[in-house]
Amino acid sequence: MNKIKILIVEDEIIIAKALELFLKKIDFEVLIASKDQDALEILNSFIPDIILMDIMLNNSKMDGIDLAKEILKNYDIPIIFITAYIDEEIIERIKNISSYGYLVKPIDNKNLLILIKITLQKHKYEKIIKEKESLFSKFLNSIDEGFIGTDLNNCIKFINKAALNLINEKNEEEINGEKINSIFRFLNPEKLLEKTKIYKCLIYYKKTFHHN
């Protein structure tokens, strides 16, 4: 069984080494980066299963939150934030990046281990869901019938190519977030008559397709 790989991004060497010691004792493979550029360089050759990211990074161009944004542009790695203090502004910034939570210093090893296990399990299931959604999306874009997926608030989260064909000058990015009822004002009657098969084109909306 492969070891779980963890990257610690922490500028306080005493904290970083304490975390490393604890995680290596439970047989995790651990690397440490003290600056933003060090972390990015490590990722060129070491892809961790999880990143422990300190929010305040001294001697770095980016703080931990901005560094997390940069990393997630290229890597699908769950990130747990570490911080000496927490406020509403930090929580809001974290919420826009990661759903895996944060730990406040001093870090309790038991809580750390629990959060790591939960995060790895959650990320595993999220990957499975993304793969299924990708296959489902490809299938829906291959059929001739229109399909629209909404969230529980009836806001559009997915629209296939057949349904887009009925909408005036609209692409998927522009229509996402619209209320399902508003879709009908975009219908193009002329396009309904372009092909015989489109006579039967239906627009479905399914609340179970993609929830927030």
Side-chain angles (χ1 to χ4, degrees), residues 33-42 59-62 67:
S34 60
K35 297 187 291 187
D36 52 359
Q37 291 305 312
D38 292 344
L40 294 174
E41 288 177 14
I42 286 172
N59 302 315
S60 294
K61 293 180 180 179
M62 296 178 280
L67 177 57

Side-chain angles (χ1 to χ4, degrees), residues 3-183:
K3 289 184 178 182
I4 294 171
K5 298 178 181 179
I6 295 184
L7 173 61
I8 299 170
V9 185
E10 169 61 70
D11 63 331
E12 295 185 58
I13 192 64
I14 294 175
I15 294 175
K17 285 296 183 181
L19 290 172
E20 179 188 37
L21 181 62
F22 168 69
L23 294 170
K24 282 187 172 180
K25 278 184 179 179
I26 49 181
D27 209 28
F28 289 178
E29 186 176 348
V30 183
L31 288 184
I32 296 173
S34 60
K35 297 187 291 187
D36 52 359
Q37 291 305 312
D38 292 344
L40 294 174
E41 288 177 14
I42 286 172
L43 290 173
N44 290 327
S45 57
F46 177 82
I47 304 300
D49 298 294
I50 196 165
I51 296 175
L52 302 180
M53 178 74 74
D54 186 21
I55 290 177
M56 300 301 295
L57 294 173
N58 294 319
N59 302 315
S60 294
K61 293 180 180 179
M62 296 178 280
D63 67 12
I65 297 175
D66 287 333
L67 177 57
K69 287 181 185 177
E70 190 66 26
I71 290 171
L72 292 174
K73 288 178 183 178
N74 300 304
Y75 303 96
D76 180 20
I77 303 171
I79 297 173
I80 295 173
F81 289 101
I82 300 170
T83 182
Y85 71 96
I86 196 75
D87 58 24
E88 289 299 322
E89 181 183 353
I90 291 174
I91 290 173
E92 284 302 312
R93 291 181 68 201
I94 291 174
K95 277 169 56 179
N96 293 327
I97 302 171
S98 171
S99 59
Y100 299 104
Y102 61 88
L103 291 166
V104 178
K105 300 175 183 177
I107 296 169
D108 179 84
N109 287 340
K110 182 179 178 181
N111 291 337
L112 170 62
L113 185 57
I114 290 171
L115 188 53
I116 286 174
K117 288 181 177 180
I118 291 172
T119 296
L120 291 172
Q121 192 72 2
K122 183 178 180 183
H123 186 250
K124 175 183 175 182
Y125 287 127
E126 284 179 347
K127 285 184 72 173
I128 292 171
I129 290 169
K130 285 178 184 177
E131 288 170 2
K132 288 183 177 180
E133 284 186 350
S134 177
L135 290 172
F136 194 32
S137 176
K138 289 176 182 177
F139 166 72
L140 291 173
N141 277 316
S142 71
I143 63 176
D144 294 328
E145 289 77 21
F147 183 98
I148 296 174
T150 74
D151 61 18
L152 291 175
N153 295 317
N154 285 335
C155 293
I156 296 165
K157 293 295 182 182
F158 174 85
I159 181 166
N160 73 347
K161 292 177 182 178
L164 278 172
N165 193 48
L166 301 177
I167 298 169
N168 286 320
E169 306 301 327
K170 286 281 180 177
N171 58 41
E172 185 175 353
E173 288 74 23
E174 291 173 332
I175 207 70
N176 273 348
E178 296 270 3
K179 287 286 187 180
I180 183 66
N181 291 338
S182 72
I183 194 70

